[in-house]
Amino acid sequence: MDITIAESAVRGTAQAPPSKSYTHRAILAAGYSEGATVHDPLVSADTKATMRAVEAYGGIVDRSDESALSITGFAGRPETPDDVIDCANSGTTTRLVTATAALQDDLTVLTGDDSLRSRPQGPLLDAIEQLGGRAESTRDNGQAPLVVGGGVDGGTVSIPGDVSSQYVTALLMAGAVTESGIDVELTTGLKSSPYVDITLEVLDAFGVTAEKTDDGYAVAGGQSYDPDGSAYHVPGDFSSMSYLLAAGALAADEELVVTSAFPSAQGDSAIVDVLESMGATLDWDRDDGEITVERSALDGVEVGVEDTPDLLPTIAALGAAADGVTRITDAEHVRYKETDRVSAMADELTKMGAEVEEREDELLVYGEDTDLRGTTVDGHADHRIIMSLAVAGLVADGETTITGAEHVDVSFPGFFDVMQGLGAAVGQ
């Protein structure tokens, strides 16, 4: 599906979708429990993959209530799946449930689409083998399809932290139901550490204790997943909010208000600080969970995305419409997402008339040399690239056509409907 965005103004109120990161973790945590209800989940292509995995391991996911998932769990003892687990395009699903596979004695096969089968899983496979499990890549390249099992019962692992924090999350979630727990020793600095903070927050809500240590993280074994009232409520998603807030800062005719913006462990709430540092007129009412933003004259900034990789596309789009230079640093790991997001944003913003310089771990956008113009751009089958280009399209001269726009279903299924409701000129 192709979507066209014409230069236009936005105004009004929009509710941010529920957090994808929290939803993934809550679904799997409920799977590890005897049963729990996950309220206000994000039901998207990615989170459906995690639901399928929970069911493959013996759980049941009841979606009859549109606002909640009633999950009967496998109580920390996953069954061997009857079939291959298809994780589709969800890297989060793959990594989290790969560690689950290591808990059962027999073997589980996990795979996904072309993009997923290109993403690195080697460090997690190595960690499982350190614990005495079996973990192999069928192509012997550290990528899916994966074959995992062996009935691990805990131990200590050494793992790099500069590829993906999801390896740590996977081990902590599985480690709680092992006999002796898992100590994760990091051999490098940890990228995207706020995502592990999210994991610790969700684990705590489900009655599981895990902690940061001097050299990594640890979770004691023999624990049970049991949230208060057998229920968990998913907060709003700041990654998705970033596109709405950026749209307001660039194109709000009056005020744009984003709701469900309550404080949490989400690192991507840093988008508020980024916008303020660029000069945006913005107010965050943390008690009511509302952020109000107005169209503002923005200046380029230097921003490191070591802990907030999902913000790179949004910041790049903002930089293309700002004065001065926007320099996005610590970005090499952003190349290993659904697509190489550094190159993708460089290529597509250049098509729109932006002056962009791509380096190994940096992206520089020269706003003062940029006059954005509408053209046809490639969404790279990546939800975050698509939504960021749509924001840029609001202030580009003429019409911007984004190919493959249906991929927003991964994290923000109603994105274009929300944008249209705010006044954006959206067409097919």
Side-chain angles (χ1 to χ4, degrees), residues 30 35-39 55 60-65 68-73:
T37 300
V38 178
H39 293 277
E55 292 187 321
I60 300 171
V61 180
D62 182 351
R63 293 176 51 197
S64 58
D65 185 340
L69 301 173
S70 180
I71 298 175
T72 303

Side-chain angles (χ1 to χ4, degrees), residues 318-347:
L318 286 165
D323 291 329
V325 180
T326 293
R327 182 175 183 174
I328 307 172
T329 66
D330 304 309
E332 184 176 5
H333 61 310
V334 189
R335 296 185 182 278
Y336 306 110
K337 296 291 185 175
E338 283 83 337
T339 188
D340 179 342
R341 288 178 176 158
V342 180
S343 286
M345 287 306 295
D347 291 345

Side-chain angles (χ1 to χ4, degrees), residues 245 271-273 275-276 279-284 291-294 296:
L245 295 174
I271 188 61
V272 174
D273 296 330
L275 283 166
E276 288 181 331
T281 301
L282 180 149
D283 179 69
W284 185 4
I291 301 176
T292 302
V293 61
E294 302 176 10
S296 311

Side-chain angles (χ1 to χ4, degrees), residues 114-163:
D114 289 347
S115 171
L116 185 137
R117 295 196 305 273
S118 71
R119 296 180 221 170
Q121 315 295 349
L124 181 57
L125 301 180
D126 180 62
I128 291 169
E129 290 185 334
Q130 290 178 51
L131 294 170
R134 176 178 171 183
E136 301 174 10
S137 162
T138 61
R139 294 176 291 164
D140 199 27
N141 63 356
Q143 299 170 353
L146 309 177
V147 179
V148 181
V152 303
D153 57 10
T156 299
V157 301
S158 296
I159 191 169
D162 58 354
V163 180

Side-chain angles (χ1 to χ4, degrees), residues 338-359:
E338 283 83 337
T339 188
D340 179 342
R341 288 178 176 158
V342 180
S343 286
M345 287 306 295
D347 291 345
E348 304 314 316
L349 287 177
T350 297
K351 291 178 187 176
M352 296 181 72
E355 184 70 25
V356 179
E357 181 181 354
E358 179 186 350
R359 300 176 181 172

